[in-house]
Amino acid sequence: MKTPNPVDLLFADMDKLGPGDDNLTLYVLRSLPQHSFEVVVDAGCGAGRQTLVLASELKTLIHAVDSHQPFLDRLKHRAKKKGIAQLVRTHCMDMKDIPTIFPKIDLLWAEGAAYNIGFANTLTTSAKVIKPDGFAVVSELCWLREQVPDAVKEFFRSGYPEMQSVPENIAIAEHAGYKLFNTYRLPKETWVKDYYDILEPRAKSLVNHSDVAVRDFAVETLKEIETFKISEDSYGYVFYLLQRSN
């Protein structure tokens, strides 16, 4: 019998695979001073919620990159249903390999995905291929204040020990060769609506699954949601709008 994939079980048919929403994606995109890009790469696109927003708004081909083929298959299906299949091209590959496939990029979009290879690594590797004055738009999980509940600190000590503050991330971006254009913080409700409110009951239904990997993934997901509930706004996702320096 085929071993179930915990990710496919928990995120089945979900449009959102992380905090965010279409209106915020569109708002951030429209805040860029330049609105015409030849080569656009959506790094770590998942099921492509934001990919479809980018394609619909920019009316240009979006290269959607993810390492999980089932997510890309869902994206292709949804793009076809929306009548914009010709504007989405999927690539099943690791984010770190983007520079080898795309030697010149006008806009790199990485919404909630930089942690896959690290925020600093995402910016450093992409800096080699983003055109001068091109943009990288990256949303990253970060500390929002100094006072953090102990349980929250403990969760991220193992969950995401590399997490930095906003000023630290800005310094990382500048060191990688970018100038900061703007930042936007994701509102708390974008974590809950169509994401945690779907994930929580699903995870609860899987905690007694016959497969240990599924059980563990469900338990860890519930721990993440509980951490969010007690976080006291100590962390969140922030969009960094970065322009490549000449």
Side-chain angles (χ1 to χ4, degrees):
M1 194 173 80
K2 188 180 178 185
T3 303
N5 185 316
V7 172
D8 290 336
L9 275 179
L10 197 63
F11 292 98
D13 304 320
M14 284 179 63
D15 291 343
K16 277 176 65 168
L17 303 181
D21 66 31
D22 292 358
N23 289 334
L24 186 62
T25 296
L26 192 58
Y27 179 81
V28 172
L29 177 62
R30 287 178 174 172
S31 73
L32 293 175
Q34 184 181 340
H35 210 55
S36 176
F37 304 99
E38 287 181 28
V39 180
V40 182
V41 176
D42 184 7
C45 65
R49 176 198 60 75
Q50 69 291 332
T51 315
L52 300 177
V53 175
L54 297 174
S56 298
E57 175 70 8
L58 295 175
K59 302 290 191 294
T60 192
L61 180 66
I62 310 298
H63 293 281
V65 171
D66 202 273
S67 59
H68 193 56
Q69 187 61 50
F71 288 161
L72 296 174
D73 292 342
R74 277 163 52 191
L75 169 55
K76 284 193 281 190
H77 176 71
R78 292 170 62 210
K80 188 174 181 180
K81 276 183 70 175
K82 287 179 72 76
I84 55 172
Q86 75 282 3
L87 295 178
V88 175
R89 185 173 299 163
T90 60
H91 306 262
C92 190
M93 55 184 278
D94 196 293
M95 279 175 59
K96 69 177 179 0
D97 296 325
I98 285 174
T100 65
I101 305 298
F102 304 98
K104 289 185 179 178
I105 298 174
D106 295 288
L107 171 62
L108 178 84
W109 196 276
E111 195 163 335
Y115 71 90
N116 283 306
I117 62 172
F119 182 73
N121 195 26
T122 297
L123 295 181
T124 302
T125 55
S126 61
K128 303 168 189 171
V129 294
I130 294 179
K131 295 178 184 176
D133 294 328
F135 286 91
V137 176
V138 183
S139 71
E140 170 70 347
L141 194 62
C142 43
W143 298 116
L144 298 176
R145 57 189 184 85
E146 290 186 12
Q147 298 302 315
V148 180
D150 289 342
V152 175
K153 277 185 193 172
E154 186 59 35
F155 177 80
F156 284 107
R157 193 169 285 127
S158 58
Y160 193 22
E162 300 84 7
M163 191 155 74
Q164 306 285 331
S165 68
V166 174
E168 286 171 328
N169 281 334
I170 292 171
I172 287 169
E174 289 174 343
H175 181 72
Y178 298 87
K179 51 190 176 186
L180 181 70
F181 181 72
N182 216 335
T183 61
Y184 295 100
R185 178 181 166 185
L186 270 70
K188 283 186 75 171
E189 56 267 25
T190 66
W191 289 71
V192 179
K193 188 178 184 319
D194 299 329
Y195 185 52
Y196 278 167
D197 61 359
I198 296 175
L199 273 187
E200 188 170 21
R202 280 192 182 181
K204 286 179 178 176
S205 73
L206 293 171
V207 292
N208 295 312
H209 195 276
S210 58
D211 185 85
V212 65
V214 173
R215 292 199 302 271
D216 289 349
F217 193 48
V219 168
E220 191 62 23
T221 299
L222 290 173
K223 195 185 296 182
E224 176 190 322
I225 295 170
E226 186 57 34
T227 300
F228 175 77
K229 290 177 180 177
I230 63 166
S231 66
E232 299 174 11
D233 291 328
S234 57
Y235 69 90
Y237 265 103
V238 172
F239 270 104
Y240 297 85
L241 284 64
L242 306 166
Q243 191 166 24
R244 184 77 175 92
S245 302
N246 284 316

